[in-house]
Amino acid sequence: MFLTVTLSLFEGLAVTIKLFALTLVFALPLGLIISFGSMSKLKVLRYPVKTLVWIVRGSPLMIQLLIVYYGLPIVFGIPPLPRFPAALIAFVFNYACYFSEIYRGGIQGVPKGQQEAGQVLGLSKSQIFFKITLMQMIKRIVPPMSNEIITLVKDTSLARIIAFQEIIWAGQSFIKGSKGIAGQMWPLFFTGVYYLIFSGVLTALFNKIEKKLSYFKV
């Protein structure tokens, strides 16, 4: 029984890791783009972007999952998206908005005097951003970004609200009956071990990254 449960949970973990990884792949660059929009000097761009970020950050991710999976088909009269793309879209937009605020804080935290010094040296705006602003921003955002990414690990469990079969779904299935096993609660609680290991690996990775960047003082 233990081997059956463990293998089934590994299958759920693989799906969880896939959702986690693809969310980061799309949300990290999208968050940077959104942060540029929220800092734009054009009010016609800045205000709508800030409003979007406020709405996404101010509403539960679970509601956003339901809107993407159930709401969009009703509003636009289209067939429901498959569960994985629906979950991915909701997670990407949610975390991109959170990441955008971290990016914005990191960029605006770099002293303007250093950017002015770059201008004096004859650097272009792109050179100032990549050689001065970006390097210091990365150092500043690693701690808050690591917290959000570790939170993402746990938030993937919310995808089960649209019957997305991640690791929690796999553990819960042994209560109702799965692979000849029924009425067992411990597989559901055992999923916590997988989350702890996953989060522990990420924590160790981010600690190494912070040490690598410790030479760069801000």
Side-chain angles (χ1 to χ4, degrees):
M1 179 189 294
F2 181 79
L3 180 60
T4 301
V5 170
T6 301
L7 292 176
S8 179
L9 293 184
F10 266 119
E11 292 176 4
L13 178 64
V15 177
T16 295
I17 292 175
K18 182 180 178 181
L19 177 60
F20 167 84
L22 288 177
T23 297
L24 289 184
V25 167
F26 294 111
L28 287 171
L30 179 59
L32 186 58
I33 294 171
I34 293 174
S35 71
F36 290 147
S38 66
M39 293 184 293
S40 174
K41 295 181 180 179
L42 299 175
K43 292 182 180 180
V44 69
L45 176 61
R46 184 172 72 250
Y47 288 142
V49 171
K50 283 193 170 184
T51 302
L52 173 65
V53 172
W54 172 70
I55 292 172
V56 173
R57 295 179 71 215
S59 58
L61 176 56
M62 185 178 293
I63 297 297
Q64 295 166 26
L65 283 162
L66 293 173
I67 289 173
V68 172
Y69 188 68
Y70 294 108
L72 294 183
I74 294 173
V75 172
F76 295 102
I78 58 175
L81 291 172
R83 288 183 175 85
F84 183 82
L88 182 61
I89 290 171
F91 272 86
V92 167
F93 273 99
N94 181 276
Y95 272 85
C97 289
Y98 277 95
F99 291 157
S100 72
E101 288 297 285
I102 296 175
Y103 285 133
R104 184 179 62 81
I107 292 172
Q108 293 181 339
V110 177
K112 290 186 178 180
Q114 297 191 22
Q115 299 176 18
E116 292 171 354
Q119 293 175 346
V120 171
L121 293 173
L123 299 178
S124 64
K125 288 185 177 180
S126 60
Q127 288 176 322
I128 291 173
F129 177 76
F130 286 106
K131 293 184 178 181
I132 299 176
T133 306
L134 183 63
M135 292 301 297
Q136 296 188 57
M137 180 197 73
I138 292 174
K139 168 67 177 179
R140 292 171 183 273
I141 69 173
V142 167
M145 192 68 79
S146 63
N147 288 336
E148 286 297 328
I149 291 174
I150 291 173
T151 299
L152 171 59
V153 174
K154 295 173 285 186
D155 277 353
T156 54
S157 63
L158 295 174
R160 72 185 185 280
I161 194 67
I162 59 171
F164 180 69
Q165 298 182 14
E166 40 70 64
I167 188 171
I168 293 290
W169 178 280
Q172 201 172 21
S173 66
F174 291 104
I175 299 176
K176 298 179 180 179
S178 176
K179 299 183 179 180
I181 302 173
Q184 297 293 324
M185 286 288 294
W186 69 266
L188 179 59
F189 296 106
F190 190 55
T191 59
V193 175
Y194 290 77
Y195 282 108
L196 285 172
I197 294 173
F198 195 179
S199 298
V201 170
L202 289 175
T203 300
L205 176 63
F206 283 118
N207 286 339
K208 286 188 176 181
I209 292 175
E210 287 190 51
K211 288 180 180 178
K212 288 284 186 180
L213 294 173
S214 62
Y215 74 91
F216 192 76
K217 304 298 180 182
V218 296

